[in-house]
């Protein structure tokens, strides 16, 4: 796992701009603490930071290969899980390898298949290839969008990077945010291509972006197609089990210490069970990690989102699989440290306002990184198998909007409550959300003759796989890579996604529960307590001291009268929020999180704000 950056300028000689390329690349030192490299030619510069995971000695980048017609160079981040098979295929076609890395497989794969290379890859990846033979740059991203990649068009080329901070380090990029950027930040519709910063774009998942002297073009190489599912229930469960076993086996390949993130839910427990069984075959013992909050088990209070604490279920999994487990226990004091908030904002390059769900994840990943370099996660299972509670709530299912905004939760409460009234009117979020929803729904393909309920559930599944999951994957990548930890997501294997996406909803919920297919396919490696557990979100602290600390910090923001955050924030709302009871409703707590994030984001990035 690594960080990449680059600059293409057809009107300049970039060999004189090594300082800019080095500055862009160095912003991602956390993504690649093991090595760095810059490659320059007249019209292109490529930068790379490396986190060594496979072939520690041989996978240095930028990597190049010389052909009779010109040099082809690559900067790459991610993992290709079928690189062994691809290597054998390429060798049979006459290619010769100098290293054992998957990076070289990607590079020589491009020589063989051109931009069609992407269709051959199974993995999580984002990479850029400069092809001197045609003076063009290709940027390619994996199918689900596990690895991030952004670009910023310029008058004579493009800037690109794994993270916006790499692009913003160039003097050619402006640190500007306009109403369009703010609108999506608050709305939570996950608009494809959005990157917050004005004139910057995300390379969308499953997309090839080509840059040459004629301009910028895009091609989508994979999409969620609707196909007929012909397998019966028993065959479907068996196929899901076969896929999961193969996926976990492939994703356990690494030359560095690895582990599994274990929450006590079905998803992470299934990955844990399969990984433990695989490693046991090799005579190894699995390591697992989980996050918890001080005294959460003793003081836990059930509500509409959390039925039970995670710890008892985690213990059951650990006892069953025999993993070496560590609880990372956090206190409200740690979670409200302003330095931690600034670290997370810097990791994500934006003020997301998710509070302790981000900061606790950062601390968990930081603790894991001290002992491991690679972790497997249960992320994205709910999007694939329909596990979220709103998939099973008639009101959310039938609401004419995104289900995660219709279901009663902190996410669906008024996310714009803390904003200045004038800004709320300018953003007109209701119209924006409605337009985005209509656009997203119109893009969903259905099978002829499908019933109304089946069409609706396919639509909801599509919205989660093309929109909602992208936010979670970006969060996971940016926060984990901020501490140099590679997190792999077995549930994002495109083979599994395609198969389950086209399974009828009646099969996905055949036992009257959420995630029926996964539950039955992995029953042999998951304890009964976890099999029967209801879906539970990522844990959140219930300690009143956390809310009190947020209010105290918000008072300090109020005292900073001339701070630019008040161009966006409603001072009256904030004054009222800091005076409420410290056991604030979660919506108020989220509002305070957003205010504090915006406050520190202004200080860290000094953005130009363009309203109107």
């Amino acid at each position: 796992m690594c960080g990449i950056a680059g600059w293409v300028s057809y009107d300049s000689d970039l060999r004189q701009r090594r300082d800019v390329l080095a500055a862009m690349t160095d912003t991602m030192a956390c993504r690649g603490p093991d090595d760095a490299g810059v490659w320059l030619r007249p019209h292109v510069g490529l930068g790379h930071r490396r986190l060594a995971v496979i072939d520690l000695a041989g996978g240095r980048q930028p990597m190049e290969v010389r052909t009779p017609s010109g040099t082809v160079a690559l900067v790459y981040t991610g993992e290709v899980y079928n690189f062994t098979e691809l290597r054998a295929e390429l060798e049979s076609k006459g290619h010769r390898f100098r290293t054992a890395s998957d990076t070289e497989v990607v590079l020589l794969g491009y020589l063989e298949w051109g931009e069609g290379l992407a269709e051959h890859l199974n993995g999580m990846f984002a990479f850029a290839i400069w092809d001197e033979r045609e003076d063009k740059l290709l940027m390619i991203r994996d199918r689900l969008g596990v690895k991030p990649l952004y670009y910023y068009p310029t008058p004579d080329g493009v800037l690109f990077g794994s993270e916006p901070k790499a692009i913003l380090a160039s003097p050619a990029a402006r640190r500007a945010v306009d109403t369009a950027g703010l609108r999506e930040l608050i709305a939570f519709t996950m608009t494809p291509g959005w990157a917050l910063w004005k004139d910057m774009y995300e390379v969308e998942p499953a997309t090839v972006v080509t840059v040459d002297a004629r301009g910028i073009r895009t091609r989508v190489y994979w999409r969620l197609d609707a196909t007929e599912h012909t397998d019966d229930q028993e065959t479907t469960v068996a196929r899901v089990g076969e896929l999961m076993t193969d996926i976990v086996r492939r994703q356990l390949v690494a030359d560095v210490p690895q582990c599994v993130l274990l929450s006590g839910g079905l998803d992470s427990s299934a990955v844990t069970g399969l990984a433990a069984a695989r490693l046991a075959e090799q005579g190894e013992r699995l390591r697992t990690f989980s996050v918890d909050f001080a005294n959460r088990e003793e003081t836990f209070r059930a509500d509409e989102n959390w039925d039970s604490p995670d710890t008892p279920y985690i213990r059951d999994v650990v006892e069953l699989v025999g993993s070496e487990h560590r609880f990372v226990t956090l206190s409200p004091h740690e979670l409200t440290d302003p330095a931690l908030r600034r670290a997370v904002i810097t990791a994500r390059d934006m003020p997301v306002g998710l509070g302790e769900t981000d900061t606790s994840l950062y601390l968990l990943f930081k603790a894991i990184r001290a002992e491991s370099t690679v972790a497997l996660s249960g992320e994205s299972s709910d999007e694939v198998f329909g596990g979220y509670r709103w998939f099973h709530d008639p009101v959310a299912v039938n609401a004419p909007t995104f289900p995660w905004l219709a279901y009663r939760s902190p996410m669906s409460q008024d996310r714009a409550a803390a904003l200045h009234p004038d800004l709320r009117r300018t953003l007109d979020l209701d119209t924006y959300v409605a337009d985005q929803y209509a656009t997203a729904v119109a893009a969903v393909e259905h099978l002829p003759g499908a019933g109304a309920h089946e069409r609706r559930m396919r639509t909801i599944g599509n919205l989660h796989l093309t929109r909602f999951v992208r936010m979670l994957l970006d969060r996971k990548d940016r926060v984990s890579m901020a501490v140099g930890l590679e997190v792999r997501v077995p549930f994002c294997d495109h083979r599994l996604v395609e198969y389950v996406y086209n399974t009828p909803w009646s099969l996905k919920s055949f036992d009257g529960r959420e995630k029926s297919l996964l539950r039955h396919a992995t029953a042999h490696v998951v304890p009964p307590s976890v099999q029967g557990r209801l879906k539970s979100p990522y844990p959140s602290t219930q300690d009143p001291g956390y809310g009190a600390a947020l209010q105290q910090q918000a008072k300090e923001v109020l005292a900073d009268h001339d701070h630019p955050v008040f161009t966006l924030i409603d001072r009256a709302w904030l004054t009222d929020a800091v005076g409420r009871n410290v056991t604030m409703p979660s919506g108020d707590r989220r509002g305070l999180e957003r205010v504090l994030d915006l406050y520190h984001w202004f200080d860290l990035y000094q953005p130009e704000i363009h309203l109107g």
Side-chain angles (χ1 to χ4, degrees):
M1 199 71 72
C2 311
I4 66 174
W7 183 8
V8 173
S9 175
Y10 289 102
D11 294 340
S12 304
D13 186 346
L14 295 184
R15 291 173 296 183
Q16 311 304 316
R17 305 307 302 272
R18 175 176 289 273
D19 57 332
V20 174
L21 262 297
M24 293 172 65
T25 305
D26 287 348
T27 63
M28 297 178 296
C30 58
R31 295 186 72 93
D34 297 327
D35 198 8
V38 170
W39 185 89
L40 294 169
R41 290 296 184 272
H43 299 307
V44 63
L46 304 177
H48 187 265
R49 294 290 314 205
R50 186 182 184 209
L51 175 65
V53 172
I54 293 176
D55 189 7
L56 307 189
R60 298 194 67 186
Q61 299 184 50
M63 186 177 286
E64 68 175 20
V65 60
R66 296 177 181 176
T67 77
S69 304
T71 298
V72 177
L74 167 73
V75 281
Y76 158 84
T77 175
E79 304 293 343
V80 172
Y81 302 123
N82 64 334
F83 79 95
T84 302
E85 296 97 315
L86 292 178
R87 180 188 179 102
E89 182 178 353
L90 289 167
E91 286 177 330
S92 72
K93 294 176 181 293
H95 294 277
R96 295 292 175 261
F97 287 83
R98 297 169 296 163
T99 76
S101 70
D102 59 340
T103 303
E104 191 176 14
V105 171
V106 173
L107 181 56
L108 297 188
Y110 174 73
L111 293 186
E112 180 65 32
W113 297 304
E115 69 173 58
L117 160 69
E119 285 92 329
H120 292 263
L121 304 179
N122 176 334
M124 55 177 191
F125 50 84
F127 57 88
I129 293 175
W130 175 255
D131 191 336
E132 191 176 67
R133 299 170 301 180
E134 300 181 50
D135 275 351
K136 70 177 182 181
L137 178 82
L138 283 85
M139 295 177 281
I140 302 178
R141 196 166 173 216
D142 66 68
R143 294 169 181 82
L144 272 293
V146 181
K147 302 310 299 175
L149 187 57
Y150 298 85
Y151 68 101
Y152 185 102
T154 63
D156 70 332
V158 73
L159 300 163
F160 70 87
S162 293
E163 300 181 358
K165 63 174 61 66
I167 294 171
L168 296 174
S170 167
R174 294 178 60 193
R175 295 183 172 228
V177 176
D178 60 10
T179 51
L182 290 172
R183 199 172 275 125
E184 176 54 40
L185 178 69
I186 306 299
F188 220 57
T189 70
M190 279 63 82
T191 299
W194 175 81
L196 177 62
W197 302 94
K198 189 176 187 298
D199 299 324
M200 188 184 299
Y201 305 93
E202 175 190 51
V203 175
E204 294 186 37
T207 298
V208 178
V209 177
T210 302
V211 182
D212 58 24
R214 294 173 294 169
I216 298 176
R217 302 179 302 282
T218 63
R219 178 180 74 86
V220 175
Y221 67 84
W222 179 87
R223 55 173 44 89
L224 285 170
D225 294 325
T227 59
E228 193 74 35
H229 184 84
T230 57
D231 292 343
D232 61 16
Q233 178 180 309
E234 182 180 357
T235 305
T236 301
V237 170
R239 179 57 179 156
V240 169
E242 291 167 2
L243 284 168
M244 286 299 303
T245 300
D246 180 67
I247 292 164
V248 171
R249 175 185 63 83
R250 290 177 179 276
Q251 298 199 15
L252 284 173
V253 174
D255 296 332
V256 293
Q258 52 192 327
C259 65
V260 173
L261 306 175
L262 176 59
S263 70
L266 176 62
D267 314 329
S268 65
S269 299
V271 173
T272 297
L274 293 169
R278 173 61 177 172
L279 292 181
E281 294 173 0
Q282 302 171 338
E284 300 177 39
R285 185 184 182 193
L286 178 67
R287 305 186 70 191
T288 51
F289 291 82
S290 61
V291 68
D292 199 6
F293 300 100
N295 303 315
R296 178 175 169 82
E297 188 173 7
E298 295 79 9
T299 62
F300 178 82
R301 300 183 307 278
D303 59 24
E304 65 267 25
N305 294 300
W306 287 275
D307 297 292
S308 57
D310 295 332
T311 306
Y313 300 96
I314 292 170
R315 293 195 187 105
D316 288 347
V317 176
V318 171
E319 181 178 357
L320 177 67
V321 306
S323 66
E324 180 184 343
H325 187 74
R326 178 185 168 192
F327 285 100
V328 178
T329 304
L330 308 176
S331 69
H333 174 72
E334 291 177 282
L335 293 170
T336 55
D337 182 355
L340 174 61
R341 185 178 296 274
R342 288 193 291 271
V344 172
I345 293 169
T346 301
R348 302 198 65 181
D349 291 313
M350 59 182 174
V352 182
L354 293 180
E356 85 278 12
T357 60
D358 274 0
T359 52
S360 64
L361 199 63
Y362 180 96
L363 291 173
L364 171 64
F365 289 158
K366 186 176 181 180
I368 293 173
R369 184 61 178 91
E371 304 178 39
S372 184
T373 307
V374 173
L376 271 64
S377 165
E379 190 102 87
S380 308
S381 172
D382 289 305
E383 289 80 6
V384 174
F385 289 96
Y388 290 116
R389 294 191 178 193
W390 50 77
F391 273 89
H392 308 271
D393 177 70
V395 173
V397 166
N398 295 306
T401 189
F402 296 100
W404 55 87
L405 298 181
Y407 185 76
R408 178 178 169 79
S409 73
M411 191 186 309
S412 63
Q413 295 180 16
D414 186 359
R415 293 172 53 82
L419 299 184
H420 193 284
D422 290 344
L423 179 57
R424 288 169 64 104
R425 284 189 289 272
T426 298
L427 296 181
D428 189 12
L429 293 179
D430 289 344
T431 299
Y432 176 76
V433 170
D435 289 345
Q436 284 299 315
Y437 176 71
T439 298
V441 169
V444 181
E445 178 185 336
H446 294 282
L447 292 174
H453 185 64
E454 181 63 32
R455 290 173 62 89
R456 182 58 184 162
M457 297 314 295
R458 181 184 287 276
T459 295
I460 291 176
N462 186 285
L463 295 178
H464 282 78
L465 290 167
T466 60
R467 296 239 178 180
F468 191 78
V469 76
R470 296 182 183 181
M471 178 275 296
L472 295 178
L473 291 173
D474 182 77
R475 167 180 176 255
K476 177 271 309 168
D477 176 89
R478 304 286 286 283
V479 177
S480 65
M481 292 308 296
V483 298
L485 178 70
E486 174 179 301
V487 178
R488 300 176 178 179
V489 277
F491 290 107
C492 281
D493 187 295
H494 72 279
R495 297 170 299 159
L496 179 71
V497 172
E498 290 171 347
Y499 186 76
V500 177
Y501 177 70
N502 282 298
T503 302
W505 182 251
S506 58
L507 269 182
K508 290 177 183 173
S509 55
F510 68 81
D511 62 358
R513 299 284 308 280
E514 77 283 359
K515 293 184 282 195
S516 306
L517 294 174
L518 180 64
R519 178 176 292 102
H520 287 261
T522 59
H524 61 297
V525 294
V526 174
S529 61
V530 173
Q531 292 181 46
R533 189 185 185 192
L534 290 174
K535 164 66 184 174
S536 185
Y538 183 83
S540 178
T541 180
Q542 295 180 324
D543 192 317
Y546 181 80
L550 292 182
Q551 288 177 308
Q552 180 57 44
Q553 292 177 22
K555 290 178 183 178
E556 296 169 9
V557 173
L558 280 170
D560 196 352
H561 299 285
D562 298 324
H563 196 276
V565 73
F566 291 107
T567 60
L568 305 180
I569 293 301
D570 182 4
R571 191 186 299 269
W573 181 92
L574 187 57
T575 301
D576 183 54
V578 300
R580 301 184 194 215
N581 188 293
V582 293
T583 58
M584 303 169 292
S586 54
D588 282 350
R589 194 163 98 176
R590 283 285 178 258
L592 287 178
E593 301 276 21
R594 182 170 298 284
V595 169
L596 294 173
D597 273 12
L598 284 166
Y599 179 79
H600 290 291
W601 176 69
F602 268 103
D603 289 344
L604 289 166
Y605 285 84
Q606 300 182 350
E608 306 170 28
I609 302 296
H610 300 278
L611 303 179

